[in-house]
Amino acid sequence: MVLEKLKDLLLAFSKRGADRAEIDELVRGIQRVLIQADVDVKLVAELADRIRKKALEEKLPAGITRREHVIKVVYDELVAFLGAKKAEAKVGRQKILLLGLFGAGKTTMTVKLARFFQKRGLKVGIVGADVWRPAAFEQLRQLAANNNIEVFGLPKEKDPVRIVKSGLQEMRQKDVVIVDSAGRSAFDDALRKEIVELNKIISPDEKLLVVSADIGQAAGKQAREFNAAVGLTGVIVTKMDSSAKGGGALSTCWAAGVPVKFIGVGEKADDLELYDPVRFVSRILGMGDIQALVEKAKTALEPKKAEEMLRGEFTLSDFYEQLQAMQKMGPLDKVLEMIPGFGGLTARLPKEMLPTQEQKMKRWKFMIDSMTKEERNRPELIDRSRIERIARGSGSKPEEVKELLKNYEAMRKILKKMKPSALKRGGLGKMFSGFKMPR
Ligand code: GDP
Ligand code: MG
C-alpha cells in the first residue's frame, strides 16, 4: 500500500546523516506518501510541522542518536495521527446499530461483528432492516447461516421501524443484537430521517458508521454527517486489505472526532480487527532495519519475525532469538496477535511456550553457543554424540541439551501446524500484497 512506502523512506533516511537537510527531505517524503494515501493536505502539513519541530528541537534521550530519535518521532507522531489509542470492545449485553452508504461493507460487517461476540461467548442475534437494496435480507440470511448466527427479518416489509420493533422483541434473549440498516448512494434527508427514527426506537449502545477504505478522506465527511444525525459512537473502516487509501480514511475519521473501532481486512467473517494504531503503524514500519532502530528507542513489535517463523523457516538460532525477544516483549502469543487473523489461535499454545525462566534461558544460551552454525541452522544433524559434545562444551548434562531440543521441536511443530490456516488467511503477506500500490 502507499503507506508502506514510509518504510522505504525511513530506511533510506536511516542510512544517511541526520542533519537539517536530511530531515527536511524525510519530512517532505512523508508528506508525499500521506497525500498519496489520500490524507487531508492540511492535516499532513500539521503533522510535518510537528515531526520537524520535535526532530530538530527535542533533547536527545541518553544513548540515542539524532537519527534514531528522528525515526522514533516519526513513529510516535504517526501513531498519534492515526488515533493514538487502541479501540476497545465492550464484551457484554448490548445493542449495536450499523449505519453507512451502499457498498460500504455493512452487511458483511454485521456478520463479522456477530462472530466477534459469539467467539467471546455471547449469544448474538442479527436484525436485517435494509428495506432498500433488493434481496438484502437474502444476502444477510445466507451469510448469517454460514456462520451459525440467528437472524431476523421480514423480507416483504417496507418499514424498517416495524422490522426493528419485531426483531428486538424476537431477539430479547440475546446478549448482543446487531441491526443492519439500509444505505443510500449518498447521505440525504430520507436517510437521515430513517436513521434518526431507528436510533430512537433501538436506543443502541453502539452506533457505528461503516465506511470503505477506498473512499479515502471522504470518510471524514460521512463521519460528520452521520454523527450530526445520530451521534456516532465509532467508525468501522472496511476493505483495509484492498485499498491504498486506508490512511486517508483512518486519519479523517479521527480528525472528525469519531474514533475508529474496528477495521475490516477481508471478505471472510473472521477478517475483523479491533483498531489499534500502534499495531497499524508497526505493521507499516515494523520491518527489518527500521524495526531494529525503532526498537532500540522503544520496545516495539516484530511481525516480520513471526511471519518468517510461520512460513516454517524456524531454526535453533531463531528459537534462541525468539526466546530473547520474548523476554523483551512478552510471550509468543502477543507476537502472533499482531498478525491479522491470528488472535484466536494463540489460545491453543501450550503453557510451556510462554517465557522460560531466566536461569534456563541462560543455560540454553550456553548450549546453543556450543553448537556449530550448521547445527543451529539444521538441528536435525544433532545426534547423540553431538549432544554429548554440546553438553560438555556448555557445562550441562546431555538431558538438558535434549530438553532444549525438545522445546525447540515443540515450538517448531506448533508453528508448522499453524501454517496452513495461517497461509490461507494470509497473515501479513496478504495484508500487504492486497494493497494496490499506484506506482
Ligand atoms: P453494504 O452494502 O454496506 O451492506 O456492503 P456489503 O456488506 O454487501 O459489502 C459490499 C462488498 O464489499 C461485498 O462484495 C463484500 O464482500 C465486500 N467487502 C466487505 N468488507 C470487506 C473487506 O473488509 N475487505 C474486502 N476485500 N471486501 C469487503
Ligand atoms: Mg447491505
Side-chain angles (χ1 to χ4, degrees), residues 79-335:
V79 168
F81 187 66
L82 290 169
K85 261 191 20 219
K86 182 178 173 169
E88 277 171 34
K90 172 185 161 190
V91 179
R93 237 187 124 74
Q94 60 188 310
K95 289 175 286 185
I96 301 172
L97 173 59
L98 289 191
L99 305 159
L101 300 181
F102 284 151
K106 273 187 312 302
T107 302
T108 312
M109 188 51 67
T110 307
V111 176
K112 285 181 182 177
L113 285 178
R115 290 270 305 151
F116 179 89
F117 290 109
Q118 201 180 46
K119 279 192 278 189
R120 283 156 180 77
L122 297 168
K123 284 182 288 182
V124 185
I126 292 175
V127 176
D130 181 353
V131 296
W132 278 80
R133 182 168 156 173
F137 184 67
E138 185 47 32
Q139 180 203 7
L140 179 61
R141 201 192 56 73
Q142 194 82 48
L143 278 174
N146 291 345
N147 291 284
N148 287 319
I149 294 151
E150 251 180 81
V151 54
F152 175 88
L154 300 168
K156 299 216 169 64
E157 177 60 64
K158 284 292 157 212
D159 179 5
V161 168
R162 280 220 199 109
I163 299 176
V164 162
K165 278 184 176 163
S166 310
L168 290 179
Q169 178 64 19
E170 194 78 15
M171 297 288 177
R172 63 190 182 282
Q173 308 283 16
K174 300 292 183 201
D175 302 311
V176 180
V177 180
I178 307 173
V179 179
D180 181 22
S181 67
R184 298 291 190 281
S185 50
F187 192 85
D188 59 18
D189 271 341
L191 178 60
R192 187 198 326 270
K193 260 184 73 183
E194 185 174 319
I195 63 175
V196 165
E197 205 162 345
L198 285 179
N199 184 31
K200 219 160 52 192
I201 282 157
I202 302 169
S203 63
D205 302 273
E206 295 280 6
K207 293 166 257 187
L208 301 172
L209 171 66
V210 180
V211 297
S212 163
D214 54 31
I215 67 170
Q217 56 178 303
K221 177 166 171 275
Q222 281 184 32
R224 283 192 297 275
E225 288 167 342
F226 281 84
N227 197 28
V230 297
L232 295 174
T233 59
V235 179
I236 299 175
V237 181
T238 63
K239 307 186 199 177
M240 285 300 294
D241 55 307
S242 61
S243 169
K245 295 185 173 177
L250 292 170
S251 57
T252 44
C253 289
W254 179 244
V258 189
V260 178
K261 287 263 168 100
F262 289 95
I263 55 177
V265 293
E267 294 188 54
K268 299 270 154 44
D270 288 324
D271 296 332
L272 174 73
E273 287 177 28
L274 262 174
Y275 179 56
D276 180 353
V278 172
R279 184 165 149 188
F280 188 75
V281 173
S282 301
R283 211 185 272 152
I284 299 168
L285 304 182
M287 298 189 166
D289 300 354
I290 291 294
Q291 187 57 35
L293 283 172
V294 171
E295 199 157 307
K296 186 173 170 197
K298 176 184 188 161
T299 312
L301 320 163
E302 287 192 38
K304 175 80 187 299
K305 192 82 229 167
E307 204 207 7
E308 261 171 24
M309 296 191 328
L310 286 163
R311 280 206 308 266
E313 300 154 0
F314 181 65
T315 64
L316 262 170
S317 316
D318 295 324
F319 179 58
Y320 180 63
E321 247 180 61
Q322 189 54 41
L323 288 173
Q324 278 186 315
M326 275 180 178
Q327 288 208 310
K328 218 168 37 187
M329 71 186 171
L332 179 66
D333 58 353
K334 286 286 174 294
V335 182

Side-chain angles (χ1 to χ4, degrees), residues 29-96:
I30 292 172
Q31 282 179 289
R32 240 184 350 258
V33 168
L34 292 175
I35 287 167
Q36 262 183 312
D38 205 37
V39 178
D40 183 285
V41 176
K42 200 172 125 251
L43 294 176
V44 173
E46 287 166 10
L47 176 73
D49 283 346
R50 275 198 304 276
I51 293 177
R52 215 177 271 121
K53 200 164 151 40
K54 282 194 179 172
L56 289 167
E57 292 172 15
E58 252 178 25
K59 237 181 76 195
L60 293 182
I64 299 284
T65 65
R66 168 73 55 194
R67 188 191 305 157
E68 289 162 349
H69 174 65
V70 172
I71 289 171
K72 174 153 185 308
V73 165
V74 170
Y75 179 90
D76 286 346
E77 284 299 319
L78 281 174
V79 168
F81 187 66
L82 290 169
K85 261 191 20 219
K86 182 178 173 169
E88 277 171 34
K90 172 185 161 190
V91 179
R93 237 187 124 74
Q94 60 188 310
K95 289 175 286 185
I96 301 172

Side-chain angles (χ1 to χ4, degrees), residues 363-378:
R363 300 181 71 81
W364 283 358
K365 177 171 167 18
F366 288 142
M367 295 178 211
I368 297 177
D369 284 342
S370 299
M371 294 174 189
T372 63
K373 195 168 162 208
E374 201 185 16
E375 285 165 348
R376 280 198 290 269
N377 291 333
R378 292 179 57 203

